[in-house]
Amino acid sequence: MKFTDLGLDQRILEGIDAMGYENATEVQQQVMVPILEGKDIIAAAQTGTGKTAAFLLPLLHRLLTTPHVAGDINAMIIVPTRELAIQIAESIEGLSYFTDVSSIAVYGGGDGNSFTAEKKALTSGVDIVVCTPGRMIAHLNMGYVKLKGLKYLVLDEADRMLDMGFNDDITKITTFLPAQRQNLLFSATMPLKMRALAKKLLHDPVEINIAISKPPDQIIQKAFIVYEAQKVPVIIDMLSSKRFTKVIVFCSKKQNVKTLTLKLKSAKFLVAEIHSDLDQKSREQYLQDFRNQKINILVATDVLSRGIDIDDIDLVINYDVPNDGEDYIHRIGRTARAASSGTAFTLVGEKEQRKCADIEELLGTPILKGTIPSEFGPTPNYTPGSGKSKGFSRK
Ligand code: AMP
């Protein structure tokens, strides 16, 4: 589904374009229409699925297209952590860049100055407030928060908020809100206590469950824990074995695609690159060459991870760990199509261990760890708990 199919305000479409989103993700496809129709939602969706934009886009559209009280707070998004509050505020800024929608992140731990700035915004009104529960209550208790016109309440990562003991705080906040409002609840899991909260807050909600598709069983998955500098020589070694006839190497960044392609070309592999800087004609030509086996290796960004129709790819290599668990599943799903078997290797750099662990969590099982030949030297231990990477499900 294209975002243009939804009738979103042109200024929002420009924001989407600027963020580089082309197609709506699964959760976006499922929740945007009911939100635009004004329905309450309870959605089981993990971080990494595009759920933030899934509620922000229709929310922004409704703010722009339905009358609302100027100088009031129109929407409140309650989240468990300040990191998530900041991140959502950044997404609002990006997606609403071409609009005059205003927003503020309200979270604890700042200095007196930030409290004063928050107070000012909450007193004079701001379209969207993204807040952590405790800090919001601190402001609410002072009596100046303008909530009469509030029409939208979003609870994001609601299961985490319950785990962190925010149930009573959330209930308390809702006592300050007008009863007539649209409620959107997002949660990675749906424990019983969530059902109870949902029953209290939501009116006849549309239930959406974004099942994470599991990769087919016949894909042999291996992760190689390496240092960043070992990635290129290891890939060259994997490709040199000649066990594989059609290979796609995925990189998250265009620049890595370009650099790796050059290195593989100079190592005399028959290789082409696919990314969004290429015009459609060249992309199609390279895909054709790959189908006809004029070349046997494609190096690509995730533009190629969804929906390309080439059946006999026998190896997918992830040059890096994808940011998004769904992307991992889509990338490796390029192999073992049409019931044949396939292999997916993922190179996990020092800073990517956390992301790898998040993907394992999403898959519900560890990925088998492979060893690289000893000539490449020692490799790091796999200790994802201590890594610094920003995992997609732990923002
Ligand atoms: P979230 O699940 O909201 O944390 O989003 C995960 C990542 O996906 C974020 O980096 C978003 O910017 C990105 N994202 C969200 N929607 C899309 C889309 N339609 N196309 C590409 N990336 C997206």
Side-chain angles (χ1 to χ4, degrees):
M1 182 199 265
K2 293 259 176 222
F3 290 104
T4 40
D5 299 339
L6 286 160
L8 292 173
D9 186 279
Q10 185 58 33
R11 293 162 286 178
I12 300 176
L13 291 175
E14 282 172 37
I16 293 171
D17 208 37
M19 296 286 275
Y21 303 168
E22 285 175 18
N23 296 306
T25 65
E26 175 75 23
V27 65
Q28 289 163 1
Q29 294 190 27
Q30 294 213 29
V31 308
M32 289 198 295
V33 171
I35 300 178
L36 287 168
E37 287 170 350
K39 305 219 168 86
D40 278 12
I41 294 280
I42 175 164
Q46 317 232 358
T47 301
T49 53
K51 67 180 169 57
T52 312
F55 63 76
L56 285 181
L57 293 169
L59 184 64
L60 288 169
H61 178 83
R62 282 175 68 74
L63 284 172
L64 290 173
T65 54
T66 50
H68 57 269
V69 187
D72 234 349
I73 294 165
N74 290 290
M76 182 184 287
I77 302 170
I78 312 181
V79 300
T81 61
R82 78 176 86 151
E83 289 74 21
L84 188 58
I86 294 168
Q87 195 181 298
I88 292 179
E90 283 169 0
S91 296
I92 298 173
E93 212 169 293
L95 294 170
S96 69
Y97 187 79
F98 300 98
T99 74
D100 57 1
V101 169
S102 58
S103 62
I104 186 170
V106 167
Y107 50 85
D111 53 19
N113 290 342
S114 58
F115 196 90
T116 311
E118 290 168 10
K119 179 179 172 185
K120 194 162 166 246
L122 297 173
T123 312
S124 53
V126 58
D127 291 317
I128 309 176
V129 175
V130 191
C131 58
T132 52
R135 181 72 153 209
M136 194 65 224
I137 285 183
H139 285 292
L140 287 169
N141 284 339
M142 316 264 266
Y144 46 68
V145 186
K146 291 190 140 183
L147 289 168
K148 267 207 207 73
L150 187 127
K151 288 197 205 63
Y152 311 98
L153 173 68
V154 182
L155 301 184
D156 193 19
E157 300 203 357
D159 50 349
R160 235 168 125 192
M161 291 204 273
L162 294 187
D163 287 345
M164 291 165 80
F166 287 140
N167 197 354
D168 292 348
D169 285 354
I170 292 169
T171 308
K172 179 157 186 203
I173 293 173
T174 59
T175 62
F176 287 86
L177 309 180
Q180 275 291 345
R181 54 170 201 265
Q182 185 177 7
N183 301 288
L184 314 174
L185 187 154
F186 286 79
S187 185
T189 57
M190 285 294 162
L192 272 182
K193 55 186 177 178
M194 181 67 62
R195 296 270 160 204
L197 178 73
K199 209 163 166 209
K200 223 166 33 181
L201 290 184
L202 309 180
H203 305 288
D204 195 17
V206 176
E207 289 200 27
I208 285 147
N209 199 346
I210 305 300
I212 296 291
S213 40
K214 301 272 177 200
D217 287 341
Q218 65 269 33
I219 303 178
I220 300 157
Q221 300 175 56
K222 271 193 191 170
F224 296 85
I225 311 301
V226 294
Y227 290 109
E228 205 56 41
Q230 291 171 318
K231 285 186 172 180
V232 174
V234 165
I235 288 182
I236 290 180
D237 185 64
M238 286 168 173
L239 296 173
S240 304
S241 76
K242 299 218 173 4
R243 277 191 295 136
F244 304 103
T245 51
K246 266 191 188 162
V247 183
I248 300 184
V249 187
F250 282 108
C251 304
S252 296
K253 294 190 186 128
K254 269 182 253 184
Q255 195 46 51
N256 290 345
V257 168
K258 294 176 189 174
T259 316
L260 181 63
T261 307
L262 281 178
K263 286 185 179 155
L264 295 181
K265 275 187 180 157
S266 51
K268 305 280 179 260
F269 289 106
L270 298 171
V271 53
E273 62 191 48
I274 303 259
H275 49 74
S276 58
D277 282 355
L278 284 186
D279 57 38
Q280 192 61 23
K281 203 163 153 243
S282 314
R283 277 201 227 179
E284 274 163 22
Q285 182 61 52
Y286 290 149
L287 281 173
Q288 201 51 33
D289 290 349
F290 187 60
R291 279 197 188 91
N292 300 337
Q293 292 189 296
K294 278 195 193 152
I295 54 172
N296 65 335
I297 302 164
L298 281 182
V299 183
T301 56
D302 286 294
V303 293
L304 203 66
S305 71
R306 290 165 202 243
I308 61 149
D309 188 22
I310 301 178
D311 277 343
D312 43 358
I313 294 160
D314 47 10
L315 173 66
V316 166
I317 299 176
N318 291 317
Y319 172 85
D320 49 33
V321 182
N323 286 320
D324 170 328
E326 285 278 299
D327 279 343
Y328 177 80
I329 291 166
H330 283 288
R331 282 184 182 188
I332 72 167
R334 294 306 100 210
T335 185
R337 285 158 67 83
S340 59
S341 65
T343 304
F345 291 156
T346 302
L347 301 185
V348 184
E350 305 96 284
K351 291 185 180 159
E352 296 174 308
Q353 294 196 0
R354 180 73 268 158
K355 280 200 283 191
C356 181
D358 285 336
I359 288 173
E360 293 178 317
E361 200 179 307
L362 193 75
L363 297 173
T365 171
I367 303 170
L368 199 70
K369 304 297 175 301
T371 44
I372 60 171
S374 56
E375 71 210 59
F376 295 114
T379 51
N381 291 328
Y382 187 52
T383 50
S386 57
K388 287 198 201 79
S389 80
K390 195 174 126 199
F392 69 86
S393 66
R394 265 160 234 271
K395 288 173 182 168

